[in-house]
Amino acid sequence: MRDFWRALRLAASDKKLMFIALATVTVSIAFNVAIPLAFKMLFDVIGEAAKSGSTAVPPSFWQAIALYATLWIANDAFGQVNFYYTVLWYNKTREILSRRVYAHLESLSLNYFENNSVGKIKERIDKGVWELNDIIEATLTEIVPQFIYILIAAGILFSVNWVFGTILMASAPIFILISLKFSPLLLQIQDKSRDSNEKLSGIMTESIINIKTIKSYATEDRHLKAFISQLLESIRLDIKYVSRRIFMNIFRLLAMDFTQIAIIGLGVYWTITGEITLGAFTLAWQYTNRSMQPLWYITRLIDDVQKKMRSVKRVFELLDTESEIVDNPNAKKLKVTKGSICFKNITFGYKDHKVVKNLSLEVPAGKVLAIVGKSGSGKTTLVKLLSRFYDTQKGIITIDGQNVCDVTQKSLREGIGVVLQDSILFNNSVAENIAYSRPSAKRKEIEIAAKQANADLFIANLPSKYETVVGERGVKLSGGEQQRINIARAILKNPPILVLDEATSSLDSESEQLIQDALWRLIEGKTTIIIAHRLSTVMKADIIVVMDKGRISEMGTHSDLVAQKGIYSKLFEIQSGGYLT
Ligand code: ADP
């Protein structure tokens, strides 16, 4: 219920639109509720004409038919106006919620994305936002007006005959009791069904993302099987849900049928005995008949709203998920004067798995530090800590003496340029991808950056040159080309500090040379940490650090470390094709 009120509060964000939508629906209902009164007038005209035995059409007929027509037309017209404003209104709510969710999603720490699949997050947001629309539409333009309709109809029925009124009023709580009794059973299955659909969406998204791997391992069948098995589970749950719903509907239909049978039976009986007029009977019948549909509808909508609230609740949960990394309230902007970096007694683990253990390290301003070590030794984690994607559990990291936890994340990340081994490009043009780090960059600056990154020649050969769209994640470019665009991006940003993750996969020697040249041009004069795999990179570095199980096991220059005869000298001995393996 708390979430339901929260959804309504959200819907009430634009009060003006809400007011117009509610006002138009109320007017439309007022016309609708009066229609049977005009209908009664028409029947009374027939009754009087029959009594007088004349075939002349009395003037009261024209009045009644004019009223009848006016009420119908006004009801329909206001219904459409209401529909228009309702659409405006719930789209406004969609805009407000989507903005909040998107902004919040971007503010969440990496941890959230590492623990939740893309498909799951996407399904959760899409479903929640759309279902909130449905709830607003259902609650405020259908449930509330229908409820008002039933109350007015019951009031009018009471005025005709108190027995009719009582019958109609008694059927409403019976309907609601049936719904309340069955709802928990339905909701149970809905939860399972939703989990199953999220998994299904996750499988599909993952397959699309990893389609290259799937095809190269020829594992299409395995993924198809997993997909079909999850799909069948989703369908099974949907059928189970519908079966339970049908079971509940049987009880609701019985309640509805009994109400109608009672009123029609008593109505005809009392009309024959002269207790009520034919007009009064048709009036009673019209209101009963027209109330049954809303009643049915309301209980169905209540089920639906409850079902949809589960999805909305999940979006609210996402909105309530706090980012693990937040700016300190007194955070200042990072000011990089020289660019010296210091890790002091750093300890960090993913949950209980300690990955960096009491590590201390200094990178003097303008120097190049190369980190080498076996896979899983904690190299990437260390640089993630520098950008504050995670917070250290012990120890501090400073840049020019400023603790990374005391500066704003925005200024910290603006100060550090990151070039990752798998360069992630957006499905935009080459120029837009280079300018991603500085959207205000002029075309000339983009071209200079591309030239420095040794990317200008291959760009000149692309079909639309700088305007060529690179495909999702840059698939239309080779690995080496993607990396050079990434380097051009970093050159354009020109940050004082650089973090590079060198590619482990080997490229042809020409691309390799072009990338190396571009990288060293980028590095010049900047404090740089490179997660290094190439011997040539390591040999050019000012300091080499060897990491082993989250600790620094060796540190020095290439010649120092070779002389030490430790892990580094072993890596050096078994290097192949210029790579430390
Ligand atoms: P390296 O870069 O040296 O290969 P990483 O820093 O990526 O090593 O990983 C160090 C250890 O931390 C590995 O055992 C890895 O499995 C673990 N690890 C890395 N990222 C995560 C994560 N997001 N959640 C849990 N464990 C992680």
Side-chain angles (χ1 to χ4, degrees), residues 24 64 103 171 255 288 290 294 328 458 504 525 540:
T24 46
S171 63
T288 311
R290 290 166 70 103
N328 179 331
F458 89 79
T504 42
K540 277 199 216 167

Side-chain angles (χ1 to χ4, degrees), residues 462-497:
L462 292 174
S464 312
K465 310 211 166 20
Y466 281 86
E467 301 315 318
T468 311
V469 175
V470 301
E472 219 165 318
R473 295 162 76 88
V475 286
K476 292 185 193 162
L477 300 179
S478 75
E481 290 167 347
Q482 289 182 29
Q483 280 179 31
R484 277 176 280 163
I485 299 239
N486 224 355
I487 294 171
R489 204 185 250 178
I491 289 175
L492 199 59
K493 180 172 175 180
N494 198 25
I497 294 166

Side-chain angles (χ1 to χ4, degrees), residues 110-111 114-115 350-351 353-356 373-382 384 390 501 531 547:
L110 272 193
N111 201 13
E114 285 168 354
N115 288 316
Y350 297 98
K351 299 212 172 97
H353 173 39
K354 286 272 170 285
V355 174
V356 178
K374 282 187 217 142
S375 165
S377 56
K379 305 182 291 292
T380 312
T381 306
L382 196 64
K384 278 188 185 166
Y390 291 93
D501 191 355
I531 299 174
M547 277 193 76

Side-chain angles (χ1 to χ4, degrees), residues 510-575:
E510 195 190 332
S511 308
E512 190 68 68
Q513 196 51 50
L514 288 172
I515 289 173
Q516 285 292 317
D517 288 350
L519 267 183
W520 285 96
R521 226 173 275 149
L522 166 67
I523 287 170
E524 213 178 303
K526 301 186 178 84
T527 313
T528 306
I529 300 180
I530 312 183
I531 299 174
H533 303 286
R534 284 187 60 82
L535 185 64
S536 61
T537 310
V538 185
M539 287 175 77
K540 277 199 216 167
D542 298 303
I543 315 159
I544 303 165
V545 158
V546 181
M547 277 193 76
D548 185 30
K549 298 191 186 102
R551 294 180 202 276
I552 294 177
S553 63
E554 293 163 32
M555 183 152 59
T557 61
H558 172 71
S559 47
D560 293 343
L561 296 182
V562 171
Q564 274 187 25
K565 301 244 169 280
I567 299 178
Y568 185 83
S569 77
K570 268 196 206 122
L571 287 173
F572 180 57
E573 273 165 30
I574 55 173
Q575 52 133 335

